[in-house]
Amino acid sequence: MRIKLINPNSTASMTASMAQAARQVAASGTEIDAVTSVSGPVSIEGHYDEAISVIGLIDAMRADPDADAYVVACFGDPGLLAARELTHAPVVGIAEAAMHAATFLSTSFSIVTTLDRTRIIAEALVRNYGMRDACRRVRAIDLPVLDLETPGDRVHEIILAESLRALEEDRCGAIVLGCAGMTGLVDYLGARLPVPVIDGVVAAVKFAEALVGARLFTSKHGDLAFPLPKPYAGAMAGYAPSGALAGGGGKQ
Ligand code: 2AL
């Protein structure tokens, strides 16, 4: 199967790290096709960034309508439901996947994310995903997303220290990494923390494999039905819906 992993920000080095983490866990028959958004913000750290990034996400899906599954590889899960409207194929967001994985492994988790404003957005996702009971706390390390790309141990140490505080103060049973830029830290943190450390990229890839393997598909019954065909005005005219992604988007 082929999983299209879409980084909705435009920083290619982040995509490369995610592709590496995804390939390390993918089954032997799974191809990870990782792409970087060709437009939009270099990092996604707020509601405006998220809104604008969705166009690049949709462009990446339209450019490749035949993937078996799609992964939205940003912890805000921007445009996740819009992406699902476009295809029969499963579309998995990394925040959603990470939180669900955490609940299979522990009755409680805390999320460690980047900026304080991102923390607030992640808290909204926790509520949206029905994870309020399981999520003890969302914590911010107060570093912008692109600082995670800085080589060296400093960022690793900051995330480790925040995770240790989460275990001590929140009494949580698992740590969810709250940014795609933290992918690849699982080995470092896992060796130093006594609890499961969940990278949403890894979780999303494995859930995508499971859903495709189980021959499951995105429901077209209700609000995830293909967008209603209608004209769009101005610069968005080219995005006017015309049913499924060309090619059928995964379901024959
Ligand atoms: C993110 C992420 O995962 N990628 C990005 O650009 N912004 N979200 C976050 N919570 O920091």
Side-chain angles (χ1 to χ4, degrees), residues 9 14 43-44 74-76 113-114 118 145 178-180:
N9 80 33
M14 269 181 70
S43 62
I44 300 166
C74 169
F75 201 82
T113 189
T114 50
T118 314
V145 169
C179 181

Side-chain angles (χ1 to χ4, degrees), residues 136-200:
R136 288 273 160 86
R137 186 164 162 186
V138 185
R139 291 169 165 270
I141 55 170
D142 282 323
L143 285 181
V145 169
L146 292 184
D147 277 20
L148 302 175
E149 298 296 285
T150 313
D153 291 340
R154 194 178 83 90
V155 171
H156 294 206
E157 286 161 9
I158 290 170
I159 295 169
L160 175 62
E162 196 62 37
S163 301
L164 286 167
R165 272 193 289 278
L167 296 189
E168 174 72 19
E169 294 171 15
D170 311 345
R171 315 300 294 168
C172 59
I175 298 292
V176 165
L177 300 178
C179 181
M182 296 177 185
T183 200
L185 280 184
V186 167
D187 289 346
Y188 171 86
L189 295 171
R192 291 163 178 80
L193 296 171
V195 297
V197 177
I198 297 141
D199 170 8

Side-chain angles (χ1 to χ4, degrees), residues 62-93:
R62 287 178 13 145
D64 185 3
D66 293 321
D68 294 301
Y70 299 86
V71 168
V72 179
C74 169
F75 201 82
D77 291 350
L80 180 61
L81 293 176
R84 285 189 179 138
E85 284 189 33
L86 295 179
T87 179
H88 284 288
V91 184
V92 185

Side-chain angles (χ1 to χ4, degrees), residues 4 11 19-20 31 36 47 56-57 75 89 97 102 110 114 122-123 131 135 183 186 205 207 215 236:
K4 188 90 184 178
T11 298
Q20 192 182 358
E31 181 191 342
T36 309
H47 301 290
L57 169 71
F75 201 82
S110 287
T114 50
E123 285 173 349
M131 292 285 170
C135 182
T183 200
V186 167
V205 164
F207 282 139
R215 299 182 199 285
M236 291 294 143

